[in-house]
Amino acid sequence: MRDAEAPGRRVWIRDPLTILAQGAGGGLVVEGSRIVEIVGAGARPASPVDETFDASRHVVVPGLINTHHHAFQTLTRAHPLAINKPLFPWLKALYTVWGRITPEAFRLATRVAYTELLLSGCTTAGDHHYLFPEGLEDSVDVQVEEARSLGIRAAVTRGSMSLSDREGGLPPKTLTQDDDTILSDCERVLNLFHDPAPGAMVQIGLAPCSPFAVTERLMRESAELAARHGCRLHTHLGETLDEDGYCLSMFGCRPVDYLERVGWMTDRVWLAHGIHFNDAEVARLGKAGVGVCHCPTSNMTLASGRCRTCELEAAGSPVGLGVDGSASNDSSNLMEGVRHALMLSRLTYGAEAVTHLDALRWATQGSAACLGRSDIGRIAPGLEADLALFTLDELRFSGAHDPLAALVLCGATRADRVMVAGRWRVIDGEPLGVDTGRLREDHSRLAKALFGAG
């Protein structure tokens, strides 16, 4: 299939077991980086093809799109200091060790997170990196390099923390930067890496970490900088009741009021978590088109609460999915997150209110909308050829009758094939160009050396 990756060659992904696209029973045709034709059941492509891939064993879905992660946290999964804690105590515990991260460890952490996402069927990897201790000033550069090496799309947000515990914030001084340093680097990485064009492989967003970690000035000036560069804005908001109390104490208002005060109530913004919004706030966010990334696995792990996915979507907010950091998820598997999103939303709204198709839509079209992209997230002519192909050969799927439902209900976790921009990046369940055994050994060694509890 390597020849099929050559630009301009037409590849027919033929006769899938099932496909998440209307009228595509016979598959689809990819030319270059894009889908150029949908093929009906029993039909053949309208024009000759150069290669054919038999997808009769595969369930084909649009590539999943992750809209919130913290890749560096793969180094502190299931850490004894943080187990069984809610968000604020969890953060304070891990702040004491995160300052030890080295450039080598950060690069491997990013590689692990991106590889895990790719293997789970994810074709666009969003990451919110806000940790810039001495030696990690070029973290965004590293994340872009790693994404390009793996061939995964990247939505890298230049995060920041500038309000330390000395000024009433949560993080220690050693993990913060001053506003001017942050804004200067934001402009640098936007100029270097942000590609606003359709089909972009790398886009940059600006992401002050949260109301309890940055100054009001940084929030305002980040919004102004994003408007000048036409990029997205991202932050944590509405994750816990502690955050509500903090905003009332520090700013004299609730988090959504604060968001509006600093100029963030626009459709250029998407928020991580978005749990503790009241009815009026849901309506305001929806009217403004503010997106929300639902992180079900992390929310359950930290017992933070339940995102109001259905109300937010009904109000007009795009709803996407994210794995969140691997210290609060302990995984970077977005397909697993799809299942958790379905289960948690059913627990909230009832068995008939949310289906497996809703959860898959949040992970594809909804996530694309959060990122402001209309070129990914669906299988249709003219869109990017980002695809995840799963087989149902494992014992867990035996007896399943609806293949699409089985992916979610029976718990698919690993794709057999993944295509990004028309190129195979996972073949037979293995990422191209990555020795996963060696990567695990090197990553685990550094995690234990730097963050071991002993």
Side-chain angles (χ1 to χ4, degrees), residues 298-340:
S298 171
N299 294 165
M300 290 187 287
T301 299
L302 297 176
S304 299
R306 307 174 190 176
C307 178
R308 301 181 67 180
T309 50
C310 292
E311 289 103 325
L312 284 161
E313 197 168 41
S317 287
V319 172
L321 292 188
V323 294
D324 200 12
S326 287
S328 62
N329 180 321
D330 303 300
S331 174
S332 304
N333 191 311
L334 191 55
M335 195 65 213
E336 180 183 68
V338 172
R339 186 170 191 255
H340 289 166

Side-chain angles (χ1 to χ4, degrees), residues 64-80:
L64 308 183
I65 300 168
N66 182 62
T67 53
H68 188 66
H69 199 5
H70 309 294
F72 74 91
Q73 292 181 13
T74 60
L75 294 158
T76 52
R77 300 193 230 240
H79 197 285

